[in-house]
Amino acid sequence: MRIEEHPILTFDRGREVEFTFNGRKMKGYEGEPIAAALHANGVRVLSYSKKLHRPRGFYCAIGNCSSCLMTVNGEPNVRVCTEKLREGMVIETQQGRGDLK
Amino acid sequence: MKHAEIAVIGGGPAGLMAALAAAEMGAKVTLVDRNSRLGGQLVKQTHKFFGSEKEYASIRGIDIGRILATEVHKNPNIETMLNSTVVAYYPDDGVLGIEVEEKKWVKMKAERIVVATGASEKYLLFENNDLPGIYGAGAVQTLMNEHGVVPGKNVLMVGAGNIGLIVSYQLMQAGVNVKAIIDAAPSIGGYWVHASKVARLGVPILTSYTVKAAYPNEMTGALERAVIWRVDDRWQPVPGTEKVFNVDVMCIAVGLSPLAELLWQAGCKMMYVPELGGHVPVRNDNMETTVSGIYVAGDVAGVEEASSAMMEGRLAGLSAAKSLGYDDGTYEEKKAEALKELENLRSGPVGGKIRKGLAQLAS
Ligand SMILES: Cc1cc2nc3c(=O)[nH]c(=O)nc-3n(C[C@H](O)[C@H](O)[C@H](O)COP(=O)(O)OP(=O)(O)OC[C@H]3O[C@@H](n4cnc5c(N)ncnc54)[C@H](O)[C@@H]3O)c2cc1C
Ligand code: FES
């Protein structure tokens, strides 16, 4: 959920853009972290752990912990807590390690 | 290859002050931060700061960040690189590897380096502690106060230190329900002003409680329920004292540890000092580490506060510039002032832990 009113803060958001998450169309703001856009759309499970396939969300949100790796535009292991959202991005839940092309 | 006289890594309060101080002495500074704006932790702090007037106490954190960042941007001696993460330090030739924006690589050789990378969140051990919905307090702040997205509806806050208390208040500012704040310690660790603010709003603060387990929603796999239990005076959990909270977010605020990877890479001598948050670099009173030319300041040098981070930054910046020959005769006086201010900040009962840690580090 987005914060629309805040007693102290104002948020300057980028322009609204469309992206897909596992094929589903969603909206977010350009330049915000992908994880924030997903969270605003109610998506909290970002990846599955390599061995036990346990669901993972973000943890640190500043690129430190690698809890948030996803496949973005076909590229695996992108930390979506820091990677910025762009128009038309194809975002997918990553299974396993991912392959380097 | 890029060249810099002084590279400051990290643009939080420590790095900002280091850059300003070195520039004030006449040195040319390159300030590097991985974020898209300067300020570090300050950009997420909506509360009025404690500390003394020199470090802008009683001004909101976000505004302190803004004041310092504006000064930095105005200063002709400081070049700023944003969206730039320093990922490597090569000890053989002292070159920094920097990832700029998305996948552009820059190598930079700096004559002096100030590492002011801050700290990162600690973790807590309990069953299912990896569920989506269990977030570090810093992450919740980033999501909420930088990007304007709330983490969920109902939160259990783990940790009643200043960060736990303040982030609880910030969650309520953003319209989120804080069900309880728990802490394994027998008393509230944070300042009374922050505790009474949340207590007045009706949030129970349960001391001597820790997390037993977390449980997921079967459908989504994300957090749905948290169970806590009491610990006795030997920190052992007491069966039968469980309490259940239906929460979709658990926020972990059990402390920070220095983000010191670059210092390890550089081969700086490190020492484990629990009072300072973990492994911290050994340094002299100029804030220079055991590797000549590498200085430290702020939380990476020992987890403390923005006010002391600023003064350490100032010291490191002054000293780095001085070592390059920049001194118009004011260095000794300015250094003495900064040292005095640090001593003031750490006097009194609250500074006791830090004093103890620093004494251990100096021994
Ligand atoms: C909720 C909360 C409330 C607080 N309240 C107060 C208060 O009231 N008063 C007070 O004095 N203190 C307070 N503090 C503490 C204060 O915010 C910190 O002590 C202070 O910000 C530390 O400053 P710093 O510059 O060392 O680190 P930070 O502010 O963490 O800045 C570090 C910077 O380094 C950057 N960085 C890290 N690694 C790299 C890299 N490899 N490459 C490039 N850039 C990098 C980061 O992006 C960041 O901008 C609070 C902290 C929190 C979390
Ligand atoms: S959440 Fe930690 S790296 Fe993305």
Side-chain angles (χ1 to χ4, degrees):
Chain A
M1 235 182 25
R2 302 239 176 223
I3 305 171
E4 298 306 341
E5 263 176 57
H6 194 282
I8 291 158
L9 300 169
T10 51
F11 304 100
D12 8 312
R13 293 175 169 134
R15 90 188 153 97
E16 200 177 53
V17 293
E18 248 183 25
F19 64 97
T20 63
F21 165 67
N22 291 345
R24 253 164 71 205
K25 273 210 172 80
M26 290 182 173
K27 286 194 172 116
Y29 294 101
E30 186 172 56
E32 69 180 348
I34 294 170
L38 287 172
H39 218 285
N41 281 280
V43 178
R44 301 206 290 161
V45 178
L46 304 176
S47 67
Y48 289 87
S49 66
K50 284 178 203 114
K51 278 195 196 139
L52 302 173
H53 307 286
R54 292 172 63 86
R56 287 282 159 79
F58 66 81
Y59 184 72
C60 73
I62 51 170
N64 282 345
C65 75
S66 296
S67 175
C68 63
L69 303 181
M70 296 183 86
T71 303
V72 177
N73 293 336
E75 185 190 329
N77 300 321
V78 175
R79 289 171 308 184
V80 295
C81 69
T82 55
E83 193 81 9
K84 295 187 169 83
L85 184 70
R86 307 270 173 236
E87 175 86 66
M89 266 185 169
V90 178
I91 297 154
E92 295 167 286
T93 308
Q94 184 171 322
Q95 303 291 347
R97 262 176 232 279
D99 288 315
L100 273 185
K101 296 221 175 80
Chain B
M1 171 119 49
K2 210 174 145 59
H3 181 263
E5 277 190 350
I6 299 178
V8 176
I9 307 170
L16 289 168
M17 286 294 274
L20 287 169
E24 167 189 323
M25 301 296 282
K28 294 267 185 279
V29 179
T30 305
L31 174 61
V32 190
D33 198 292
R34 64 179 171 191
N35 214 346
S36 56
R37 54 175 165 163
L38 293 173
Q41 291 294 328
L42 294 176
V43 307
K44 304 174 222 170
Q45 309 310 341
T46 51
H47 64 286
K48 297 191 174 134
F49 264 44
F50 39 84
S52 86
E53 218 163 278
K54 268 215 184 75
E55 296 82 31
Y56 307 96
S58 83
I59 299 181
R60 292 185 202 283
I62 32 170
D63 297 327
I64 303 175
R66 235 174 258 148
I67 294 170
L68 294 176
T70 309
E71 276 184 51
V72 162
H73 287 306
K74 267 198 327 225
N75 195 308
N77 280 349
I78 307 174
E79 176 203 10
T80 306
M81 292 172 70
L82 293 173
N83 301 303
S84 302
T85 310
V86 179
V87 293
Y89 174 84
Y90 299 96
D92 322 342
D93 45 11
V95 169
L96 295 168
I98 309 174
E99 188 191 21
V100 183
E101 286 285 344
E102 285 140 41
K103 303 193 185 56
K104 213 166 78 204
W105 292 92
V106 173
K107 282 196 256 175
M108 183 160 81
K109 168 84 187 164
E111 287 167 48
R112 300 288 183 275
I113 297 173
V114 179
V115 177
T117 44
S120 75
E121 227 114 30
K122 286 185 182 162
Y123 218 87
L124 198 63
L125 213 59
F126 55 86
E127 189 186 337
N128 288 337
N129 68 354
D130 59 347
L131 293 180
I134 302 178
Y135 303 145
V140 164
Q141 280 197 308
T142 305
L143 186 72
M144 184 168 71
N145 295 351
E146 274 196 78
H147 307 301
V149 176
V150 294
K153 293 196 182 77
N154 295 301
V155 178
L156 176 68
M157 177 64 65
V158 182
N162 276 323
I163 295 186
L165 297 172
I166 290 167
V167 176
S168 295
Y169 189 73
Q170 294 179 351
L171 280 158
M172 288 186 270
Q173 275 181 333
V176 179
N177 194 1
V178 179
K179 290 267 175 134
I181 303 172
I182 68 165
D183 202 303
S187 60
I188 296 170
Y191 292 165
W192 184 241
V193 273
H194 295 305
S196 53
K197 242 158 96 172
V198 285
R200 267 202 307 272
L201 291 168
V203 180
I205 303 178
L206 304 170
T207 51
S208 295
Y209 270 93
T210 189
V211 183
K212 182 183 185 192
Y215 297 100
N217 178 289
E218 293 300 327
M219 293 274 293
T220 64
L223 178 71
E224 179 179 79
R225 201 154 33 92
V227 179
I228 64 169
W229 56 357
R230 203 157 58 73
V231 291
D232 63 21
D233 46 16
R234 279 167 304 135
W235 300 82
Q236 296 306 308
V238 184
T241 58
E242 287 86 350
K243 286 181 198 285
V244 179
F245 291 92
N246 294 321
V247 288
D248 55 351
V249 177
M250 195 193 292
C251 189
I252 309 288
V254 294
L256 301 164
S257 57
L259 204 55
E261 281 85 349
L262 291 169
L263 301 173
W264 287 104
Q265 283 185 33
C268 298
K269 185 168 176 219
M270 306 292 284
M271 196 170 164
Y272 184 73
V273 184
E275 288 84 357
L276 301 178
H279 281 93
V280 289
V282 173
R283 73 279 184 151
N284 62 22
D285 73 351
N286 291 332
M287 299 308 293
E288 189 173 15
T289 64
T290 53
V291 175
S292 160
I294 299 187
Y295 296 75
V296 287
D299 279 355
V300 72
V303 174
E304 209 176 332
E305 287 173 0
S307 38
S308 45
M310 283 183 221
M311 278 304 123
E312 287 188 347
R314 186 162 166 79
L315 256 180
L318 291 171
S319 304
K322 160 85 179 168
S323 74
L324 289 171
Y326 292 103
D327 180 9
D328 55 4
T330 58
Y331 170 75
E332 288 303 335
E333 192 187 323
K334 286 175 177 166
K335 175 182 166 182
E337 255 174 49
L339 282 172
K340 179 115 193 299
E341 184 61 20
L342 272 175
E343 200 185 300
N344 285 345
L345 287 170
R346 290 166 179 157
S347 62
V350 191
K353 197 170 104 178
I354 298 294
R355 289 199 303 272
K356 187 168 161 231
L358 289 173
Q360 194 189 329
L361 189 62
S363 65

